[in-house]
């Protein structure tokens, strides 16, 4: 196994570099470190998701100083109970397939993750329903006081199905209060969910290497739907 | 003055290179360890662990094994060969990794989807789901990152057909004597229709140097 170079040995080599080369290396390393931090950040967000103790103090992960983030609405939503009690409820959403693009200035980032997860849902203390829950998470991020924070992060459902029935025969609506109608759910998190009578839409698009040139505003979410402009009506 | 600035920059760059290398190696090593577990190769699994006396291994509610007892734990808790029809397939997702500022230790967590097949006498194997969260400390020794403390926090383990709400028969160990070398379990809270989820293991946060903190069992979400 290749041993890591001793710090002093690395330092020796780096001291020999011209200043602009060293600065360029540091810039490139900083972008990689940001990718790491954003993976950590999103990982923590989805650990919180399973822990639904409403009102409990937790580390703020949103960019609460950014004018585009509606912290009032976010804080209000955090205090709303969507289930009567916690027994039997679980939301396990591990993150996979990370695609993360950090801008050149290393202060904004876009990402898409996929999630393959499961849930247990008991709204009024009835025996829980076991649910398969899979989806995509397109999101924006920004540095706030040196630390990466979330600007937005939309859960885009692919599957939310009763475990026994499966995703061909069942689609559960997002658990909200008051309960959502089918149409409301479709406009909310179920817009691009799997339906056996429909063709799949290519949403979210992944952020490609030009994303920050084409959509420079950190709050612009049009990148998520950029593939839809190319779609023909027959769904091909 | 300019030379001082350059010196500082060179130090920062060296640190960042080592930090990123650590991140990759830690992920590679835990991934390799998990594959070795999936393939039922106990000596290979053991090779990823530190041989320190204070190394620990804790799997669900089987108790804590320490130091040289980890070898015994690995042979006790996993088959040493792949029997026909037997399967355990654990995968790593959602890594949260923090490497200490001194680059000597690291804290890591992965959410792990998993499947399995348990052989049964006279019938087809039982297909199961087996999901958990790995909490681990790593230590840099003899040129590589070794697993120092490992804890498998069970999320759910259940019959494939019945699912995690209907079948809780595999969530806890059967009522047989625990291994004589095992110390008391520190935490076990798998999903059942009556359990309440909480954020344990806690996620790791940036830290300067190892201070012995039991970060996995911390309750404060800070």
């Amino acid at each position: 196994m290749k041993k890591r170079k001793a710090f002093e040995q690395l330092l020796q080599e780096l001291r020999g570099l011209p200043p602009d080369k060293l600065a360029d290396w540091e810039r490139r390393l900083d972008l990689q470190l940001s990718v790491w931090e954003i993976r950590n950040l999103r990982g923590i967000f989805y650990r919180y998701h399973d822990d639904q103790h409403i009102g409990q103090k937790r580390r703020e992960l949103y960019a609460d100083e950014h004018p585009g983030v509606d912290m009032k609405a976010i804080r209000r939503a955090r205090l709303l109970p969507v289930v009567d009690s916690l027994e039997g409820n679980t939301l396990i959403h591990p993150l996979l397939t990370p695609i993360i693009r950090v801008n050149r200035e290393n202060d904004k980032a876009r990402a898409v993750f996929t999630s393959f997860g499961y849930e247990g849902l008991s709204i009024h203390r009835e025996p829980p329903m076991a649910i398969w829950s899979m989806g995509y998470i397109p999101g924006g991020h920004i540095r706030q006081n040196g630390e990466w924070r979330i600007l937005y992060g939309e859960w885009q459902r692919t599957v939310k199905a009763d475990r026994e029935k499966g995703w061909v025969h069942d689609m559960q609506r997002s658990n909200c209060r008051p309960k959502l109608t089918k149409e409301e759910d479709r406009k909310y998190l179920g817009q691009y969910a799997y339906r056996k009578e429909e063709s799949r839409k290519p949403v979210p698009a992944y952020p490609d290497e030009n994303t920050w040139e084409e959509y420079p505003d950190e709050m612009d979410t049009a990148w998520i739907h950029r593939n839809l402009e190319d779609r023909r009506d027959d769904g091909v | 003055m300019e030379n001082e600035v350059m010196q500082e920059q060179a130090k920062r760059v060296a640190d960042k290179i080592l930090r990123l290398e650590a991140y990759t190696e830690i992920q590679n090593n835990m991934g390799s360890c998990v594959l070795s577990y999936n393939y039922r190769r106990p000596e290979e699994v053991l090779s990823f662990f530190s041989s320190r006396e204070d190394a620990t291994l804790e799997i669900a509610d089987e108790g804590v094994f320490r130091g040289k007892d980890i070898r015994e734990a690995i042979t006790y808790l996993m088959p040493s060969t792949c029997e026909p029809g037997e399967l355990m397939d654990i995968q790593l997702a959602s890594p949260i990794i923090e490497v200490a500022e001194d680059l000597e230790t690291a804290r890591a967590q992965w959410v792990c989807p998993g499947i399995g097949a348990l052989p049964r006498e006279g019938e087809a194997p039982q297909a199961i789901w087996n999901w958990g969260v790995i909490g681990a400390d790593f230590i840099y020794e003899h040129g590589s990152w070794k697993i120092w403390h490992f804890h498998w926090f069970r999320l759910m383990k259940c019959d494939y057909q019945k699912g995690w709400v209907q079948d809780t028969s595999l969530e806890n160990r059967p009522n047989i004597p625990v291994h004589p070398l095992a110390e008391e379990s520190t935490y076990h809270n798998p999903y059942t229709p009556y359990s309440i989820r909480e954020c344990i293991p806690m996620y790791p946060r940036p830290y300067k140097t190892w201070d012995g903190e039991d970060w996995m069992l911390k309750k404060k979400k800070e």
Side-chain angles (χ1 to χ4, degrees):
Chain A
M1 200 183 297
K2 195 174 152 198
K3 286 188 188 302
R4 96 176 167 200
K5 286 185 181 171
F7 184 79
E8 289 305 325
Q9 187 186 351
L10 252 182
L11 205 52
Q12 187 85 350
E13 292 173 14
L14 291 166
R15 277 178 185 142
L17 291 177
D20 57 344
K21 198 82 184 161
L22 189 63
D24 184 56
W25 270 114
E26 184 161 32
R27 190 189 64 77
R28 291 165 71 176
L29 287 165
D30 284 342
L31 290 175
Q32 298 305 313
L33 287 167
S34 288
V35 170
W36 173 359
E37 281 179 50
I38 288 164
R39 291 186 77 172
N40 279 2
L41 173 67
R42 284 286 176 181
I44 293 169
F45 187 92
Y46 277 95
R47 290 303 319 286
Y48 282 166
H49 197 49
D50 184 43
D51 179 346
Q52 302 166 67
H53 295 80
I54 59 174
Q56 205 172 64
K57 243 190 193 160
R58 48 174 66 165
R59 207 172 123 242
E60 184 55 63
L61 304 178
Y62 274 95
D64 54 355
E65 294 175 10
H66 192 282
V69 178
D70 187 353
M71 283 310 298
K72 269 199 181 140
I74 289 170
R75 287 188 178 118
R76 212 168 31 239
R78 282 175 185 167
L79 295 176
L80 288 175
V82 289
V83 291
D84 288 348
S85 72
L86 291 173
E87 291 97 332
N89 282 291
T90 188
L91 296 163
I92 300 296
H93 287 282
L95 300 180
L96 308 157
T97 328
I99 306 159
I100 302 170
R101 298 283 183 187
V102 184
N103 72 342
R104 180 171 273 280
E105 294 76 23
N106 197 21
D107 59 4
K108 303 179 196 179
R110 292 189 174 120
V112 167
F113 294 83
T114 68
S115 179
F116 185 120
Y118 70 90
E119 298 176 2
L121 179 64
S122 172
I123 304 174
H124 307 295
R125 294 184 182 270
E126 73 279 14
M129 178 191 293
I131 293 171
W132 283 123
S133 180
M134 297 165 215
Y136 288 64
I137 303 144
H141 312 79
I142 199 158
R143 270 197 194 279
Q144 180 174 293
N145 305 317
E147 185 190 31
W148 282 102
R149 295 282 190 104
I150 295 171
L151 279 173
Y152 59 87
E154 307 169 16
W155 173 255
Q156 186 189 288
R157 184 195 318 146
T158 307
V159 160
K160 184 171 178 172
D162 179 306
R163 190 202 64 85
E164 281 192 50
K165 295 175 185 168
W167 42 88
V168 173
H169 301 294
D170 186 63
M171 173 67 73
Q172 296 292 313
R173 297 170 208 171
S174 292
N175 178 37
C176 297
R177 289 183 178 183
K179 226 169 153 174
L180 297 177
T181 64
K182 209 169 160 184
E183 294 67 36
E184 284 167 339
D185 180 69
R186 178 109 199 209
K187 286 182 183 151
Y188 182 44
L189 301 179
Q191 195 176 5
Y192 300 104
Y194 168 78
R195 286 169 182 84
K196 61 181 185 288
E197 63 276 4
E198 292 180 11
S199 302
R200 186 178 196 165
K201 303 285 188 297
V203 181
Y206 50 81
D208 64 17
E209 64 267 20
N210 302 316
T211 192
W212 287 107
E213 279 75 48
E214 288 175 13
Y215 307 95
D217 186 338
E218 68 267 17
M219 293 307 295
D220 188 353
T221 58
W223 63 275
I224 297 172
H225 305 99
R226 63 180 169 82
N227 286 341
L228 290 179
E229 294 157 15
D230 300 327
R231 300 292 285 178
R232 297 185 344 221
D233 287 339
D234 61 6
V236 171
Chain B
M1 180 68 157
E2 194 184 307
N3 197 33
E4 271 175 36
V5 169
M6 288 289 301
Q7 297 284 358
E8 285 308 307
Q9 188 167 40
K11 280 185 190 168
R12 282 200 310 268
V13 172
D15 177 81
K16 287 168 183 178
I17 289 170
L18 293 176
R19 189 168 296 286
L20 280 162
E21 285 181 348
Y23 180 68
T24 300
E25 191 184 330
I26 284 164
Q27 294 218 81
N28 282 351
N29 284 358
M30 186 56 83
S32 303
C33 181
V34 163
L35 259 63
S36 300
Y37 172 79
N38 291 346
Y39 301 151
R40 301 329 202 176
R41 295 159 75 99
E43 285 301 321
E44 233 170 65
V45 170
L46 193 60
S47 71
F48 293 102
F49 278 78
S50 167
S51 55
R52 289 170 62 110
E53 276 307 304
D54 60 356
T56 57
L57 170 73
E58 184 174 358
I59 308 288
D61 54 352
E62 295 289 349
V64 179
F65 294 82
R66 206 172 287 276
K68 57 179 170 31
D69 296 339
I70 290 175
R71 171 180 288 277
E72 170 65 24
I74 286 170
T75 47
Y76 169 69
L77 291 170
M78 65 178 261
S80 55
T81 53
C82 275
E83 294 299 325
E86 195 266 332
L87 175 75
M88 197 57 70
D89 202 85
I90 304 298
Q91 306 196 13
L92 301 180
S94 277
I96 304 173
I97 299 171
E98 295 289 352
V99 179
E101 278 183 31
D102 66 5
L103 290 165
E104 293 295 327
T105 64
R107 295 171 174 168
Q109 182 182 113
W110 290 267
V111 179
C112 305
I115 63 168
L118 306 178
R120 291 186 292 197
E121 196 75 38
E123 48 181 322
Q126 180 191 17
I128 65 166
W129 293 110
N130 185 14
W131 290 50
V133 179
I134 288 174
D137 295 310
F138 282 78
I139 190 161
Y140 190 73
E141 53 185 32
H142 314 303
S144 66
W145 285 95
K146 293 289 194 182
I147 300 170
W148 187 15
H149 309 117
F150 180 102
H151 190 158
W152 171 263
F153 293 83
R154 180 168 294 152
L155 285 172
M156 57 92 158
K157 188 176 181 181
C158 64
D159 178 79
Y160 168 82
Q161 298 288 352
K162 295 177 185 167
W164 46 95
V165 171
Q166 200 182 335
D167 179 38
T168 56
S169 64
L170 302 174
E171 298 288 33
N172 301 308
R173 61 189 308 286
N175 192 19
I176 57 173
V178 293
H179 194 286
L181 295 173
E183 299 168 20
E184 292 76 20
S185 295
T186 60
Y187 186 90
H188 182 66
N189 183 30
Y191 173 82
T192 73
Y194 307 103
S195 61
I196 292 178
R197 305 303 310 151
E198 56 179 352
C199 194
I200 300 288
M202 184 50 63
Y203 43 83
R205 292 288 292 137
Y207 68 111
K208 288 187 179 342
T209 187
W210 181 259
D211 56 6
E213 185 193 34
D214 203 351
W215 61 272
M216 296 183 210
L217 301 183
K218 253 172 67 161
K219 295 271 188 165
K220 272 198 170 144
K221 294 184 269 268
E222 46 193 21

